[in-house]
Amino acid sequence: MAVTAQRPFLIAGGGIGGLASAISLANHGVRSIVLEQASQFGEIGAGIQLGPNAFNCFDALGFGAKARDGAVFIDKLRLMDAVAGEEICHIPLDDAFRAHFSNPYAVVHRGDLHGALLDACNDSALVELRTSQRVCSYDQDGTTVTARMADDGVVTGAALIACDGLNSSIRQQLVGDGAPRVSGHTTYRSVIPTEQMPDDLRWNAATLWAGPKCHIVHYPLKGWNVFNLVVTYHNDVTEAVAGQPVSKSEVQRGFEHIHPRAQQIIEHGNDWKLWVLCDREPTAHWIDGRVALLGDAAHPMLQYFAQGACMALEDAVCLGQMVGTHDTIDRAFAAYQQERFARTARVQVMSRLIGDYIYHPAAGMADLRNATMQAKTPQDWFETLDWLYGYGRPPQSSLQGGQAYVT
Ligand SMILES: Cc1cc2nc3c(=O)[nH]c(=O)nc-3n(C[C@H](O)[C@H](O)[C@H](O)COP(=O)(O)OP(=O)(O)OC[C@H]3O[C@@H](n4cnc5c(N)ncnc54)[C@H](O)[C@@H]3O)c2cc1C
């Protein structure tokens, strides 16, 4: 039995979480209106890593082929010691990995992924997209929810899903836990043409150079036309800033103590922009009557597991499934939170821990990291990562011809 609603669901925010939620609800026959604050839908022009759990979600949304278009299927996740300038270990993303997790690990351009989700929403008769709609608050009366806009407009629906990100207004009304925690770590992003990437670093890998209080990530993107650079260091800032242009020298300042081979990557970046990293403590309070939090609005995390968007996609699939299998919105939302809270909280908390113990340690703690990670076999990695990447994996018997998905 599924929820039946006279009115559409309202979705505040048209990012990856909001659009995926609209598709997921539509797949279960539920209409929605996406209310996006910006004057047009879009994403920043950078890359995003997607684990097999994200591809399991795309498949569940009926979106697998589109999601794979334009993805770069990298060969390995490579961990480098940024002080020694040498590889610590790598996780092969080969056929054995894909067979184990039923899906690949890939990197995509955010704009391509978001654009494909937007196309799917535009193609659905059950999804209405509205821009310049900044949701500030909500009221509800037991059978409807009214979203109140910054321009005093109102929209009434059967339920409201808050997909309005890290600084969610709806979360402030629902949870009231103030501003996000500022981590004191800042990430700088640049995208460069592949020919500007040093020859000996043009690897088909998501590479992470781990150094004391800093790390550097790079991977190819957009059919190998560009490389995505994401570099992070502890600069102890206390103010949350997002997307601000910044000089190269400010970026370089955090990496003066690491190997020249890693430092040179920053030299090649242009048009750097910064994001001060923020997250929150987990909360098990995602629901208020007919209002539910989803994605970063529910569980913002440091990006160190590269899983924030993957978690938003999982939330979206789960929400649709719960609405499709429960008779009331209350029951569907309670089941959604029950299914999603502990898992997303684990990723939030562990994202902090891998920052401290894997990406940013120095001296003896870095030696411990190297020794521990070098001792792992590919099979060990599968077991270590199973809880994370195995989520949503279809039962083996449902895979075509008994074969896992192989690109
Ligand atoms: C540097 C960095 C790298 C990352 N790398 C990865 C990665 O490799 N893999 C991964 O899975 N995740 C990654 N993430 C995390 C990922 O980007 C987020 O978790 C994901 O974008 C969250 O999606 P969302 O839809 O919940 O929120 P958002 O993407 O923040 O979208 C929110 C949307 O709501 C709109 N909005 C905001 N307020 C309102 C309002 N009041 N009313 C209406 N609309 C509103 C916004 O304009 C936006 O469109 C990274 C994050 C960072 C910072």
Coordinates of all heavy atoms in Angstrom, one line a residue, residues 8 53 64 77 172 208:
P8 N 0.6 17.8 -4.3 CA 2.0 17.3 -4.5 C 2.8 17.5 -3.3 O 2.5 18.2 -2.4 CB 2.5 18.3 -5.6 CG 1.6 19.4 -5.6 CD 0.3 19.0 -5.0
N53 N 27.8 2.5 -4.4 CA 26.5 2.8 -3.7 C 25.7 3.8 -4.5 O 24.4 3.8 -4.5 CB 26.6 3.1 -2.3 CG 27.6 4.2 -1.9 OD1 28.6 4.4 -2.6 ND2 27.2 5.0 -1.0
G64 N 20.4 4.7 -14.4 CA 21.8 4.2 -14.5 C 22.5 4.5 -15.8 O 23.7 5.0 -15.7
L77 N 41.8 3.8 -6.6 CA 41.9 4.8 -5.5 C 43.3 4.7 -5.0 O 43.7 3.7 -4.5 CB 40.9 4.6 -4.4 CG 39.4 4.5 -4.9 CD1 38.5 4.2 -3.7 CD2 39.0 5.8 -5.5
Q172 N 16.5 24.8 10.6 CA 16.6 25.7 11.7 C 15.2 25.7 12.4 O 15.2 25.8 13.6 CB 17.0 27.1 11.2 CG 18.5 27.3 11.1 CD 19.2 26.5 12.1 OE1 19.1 26.7 13.3 NE2 20.1 25.6 11.7
L208 N 45.0 10.6 -3.8 CA 45.0 11.4 -2.6 C 46.4 11.4 -2.0 O 46.9 10.4 -1.7 CB 44.0 10.9 -1.6 CG 43.7 11.9 -0.4 CD1 42.2 11.9 0.0 CD2 44.6 11.6 0.8

